[in-house]
Amino acid sequence: MKAWRIDELGHPSTALRLAEIDAPVPGSGELAIDVESAVVNFADILLCQGIYQDRPPVPFAPGLEVCGVVTSVGDGMDVPVGARVSGMAALPSGAFAEAALVRAPSAVEVPHEVPAADAAALASTYLTSHVALHRRAHLQPGETLLVHGATGGVGSAAVQLGVAAGATVIATAGGEAKARVAKELGAHHVIDHRVDDVRERVLELTAGRGVDVAYDPVGGALGDLTRRLMAWEGRLLVIGFASGEIPSYPANHVLVKNYSVMGLHWGAYTEHGGRPVLEAAHADLLRLYAEGAIAPRIHSTIGLDEVPDALAALEAREVLGRIVLVTGGADRARHG
């Protein structure tokens, strides 16, 4: 089978190579699938360089979020061959390949009527935002939700889920095009951080009160600003650090303003008995998807040979939505 491989850690522009390798064999806790689709993530750029939180030994195939049909199962697994599942790839047999391994605890069954590109995007992106907003922050109707990076993968999911939950959503984005997309996603208010003062606009929109829930996958200076925008009993969700910088949250500030700072490491739920959390969130996402309340914004779909170009576009911040590797032709025609 064909797969993109990293033989030596390095930037994907030079380290990735397309190779012919044997199909992976599932071990305990793993499922083997024929890949239908896989999301191309910024995290894959870090993974190739060995600076992501998961650091598989070389050689490995990158690609984290995947959807496909089960072809074989590891010991003790009760998932039937032929089931269509989405989940997190079991590295080193990642998703940028014709076949991959999936971590069985992360696998959820996806109806065949869900297009492959959407199925892959729902696998982790929307689960991350759903668990963050509903289990961690307990977002309530009528509350105000601030979403940074609103046109990125998890950010766009958070905007849609916030609107679906009945919250007033304030989104931040960089540039006119991204601000327009954030509005299309359903955000009630959009702040272009390249031209607007985020602090002033948020306080203006909330009559000086601040926000009940903040969703921050960016970190850095924006994270430091966000803690100053929390309302009384607000909840600040730490999702990631796309800026490359990790902010600090002084304990005295947390105390005086009476807000909470909470992390969300969705991938670790399956390691801490969180399978019921995953299943409940997935069921609710399928309901919202069927009702049309949420829909992944697909920037483009690509073939296997286009993965390096897709990673380059992500790194250049040229992507508005998700780039999804799709092995079949139907979904590429639908989204391309």
Side-chain angles (χ1 to χ4, degrees), residues 144 170 200-212 229:
T144 301
I170 302 172
E200 287 186 4
R201 284 290 291 140
V202 169
L203 292 177
E204 176 186 344
L205 291 169
T206 61
R209 177 177 176 273
V211 299
D212 299 293
L229 296 173

Side-chain angles (χ1 to χ4, degrees), residues 8-329:
E8 294 185 13
L9 296 176
H11 193 275
S13 61
T14 56
L16 272 175
R17 70 179 185 91
L18 190 59
E20 192 74 31
I21 63 172
D22 293 335
V25 177
S28 178
E30 297 176 341
L31 311 172
I33 64 168
D34 283 337
V35 174
E36 286 188 3
S37 56
V39 179
V40 182
N41 285 296
F42 189 84
D44 292 303
I45 298 171
L46 306 179
L47 185 69
C48 293
Q49 298 173 80
I51 54 176
Y52 185 58
Q53 59 197 28
D54 290 334
R55 300 182 181 182
V58 293
F60 65 85
L64 298 171
E65 299 174 64
V66 66
C67 173
V69 176
V70 176
T71 56
S72 59
V73 301
D75 293 339
M77 298 295 102
D78 58 1
V79 179
V81 171
R84 187 186 192 224
V85 301
S86 63
M88 299 302 292
L91 302 173
S93 296
F96 298 159
E98 293 176 330
L101 298 180
V102 175
R103 302 174 190 171
S106 77
V108 289
E109 194 159 352
V110 182
H112 286 280
E113 57 266 28
V114 178
D118 288 354
L122 287 168
S124 174
T125 302
Y126 279 81
L127 280 169
T128 295
S129 294
H130 192 288
V131 173
L133 293 176
H134 292 293
R135 180 176 176 83
R136 298 292 283 144
H138 299 288
L139 180 67
Q140 300 298 308
E143 289 191 316
T144 301
L145 168 66
L146 174 63
V147 179
H148 293 313
T151 60
V154 293
S156 61
V159 169
Q160 292 184 341
L161 289 170
V163 172
T168 298
V169 178
I170 302 172
T172 68
E176 184 177 342
K178 290 186 176 181
R180 183 171 58 252
V181 169
K183 195 68 176 178
E184 292 171 358
L185 289 167
H188 299 92
H189 307 284
V190 180
I191 301 172
D192 182 350
H193 61 72
R194 292 184 181 177
V195 297
D196 297 325
D197 185 305
V198 173
R199 182 177 182 277
E200 287 186 4
R201 284 290 291 140
V202 169
L203 292 177
E204 176 186 344
L205 291 169
T206 61
R209 177 177 176 273
V211 299
D212 299 293
V213 177
Y215 184 99
D216 182 17
V218 179
L222 195 59
D224 184 64
L225 169 65
T226 302
R227 68 181 175 86
R228 304 173 190 276
L229 296 173
M230 301 310 300
W232 181 258
E233 292 194 332
R235 290 87 77 199
L236 197 168
L237 288 160
V238 180
I239 308 299
F241 313 106
S243 68
E245 298 178 0
I246 299 175
S248 297
Y249 307 101
N252 63 330
H253 191 262
V254 173
L255 184 152
V256 170
K257 293 202 68 177
N258 201 44
Y259 66 95
S260 302
V261 179
M262 51 188 66
L264 187 282
H265 184 186
W266 171 80
Y269 268 86
T270 56
E271 302 170 11
H272 295 276
R275 178 71 189 184
V277 175
L278 169 64
E279 291 176 345
H282 179 63
D284 195 43
L285 288 172
L286 289 180
R287 175 187 66 83
L288 291 168
Y289 180 84
E291 293 173 354
I294 60 173
R297 190 181 197 282
I298 307 299
H299 176 88
S300 62
T301 57
I302 63 169
L304 187 61
D305 58 333
E306 300 171 277
V307 166
D309 290 339
L311 291 169
L314 274 177
E315 191 169 31
R317 310 290 183 182
E318 298 171 351
V319 178
L320 299 175
R322 307 296 265 167
I323 298 179
V324 184
L325 161 66
V326 176
T327 57

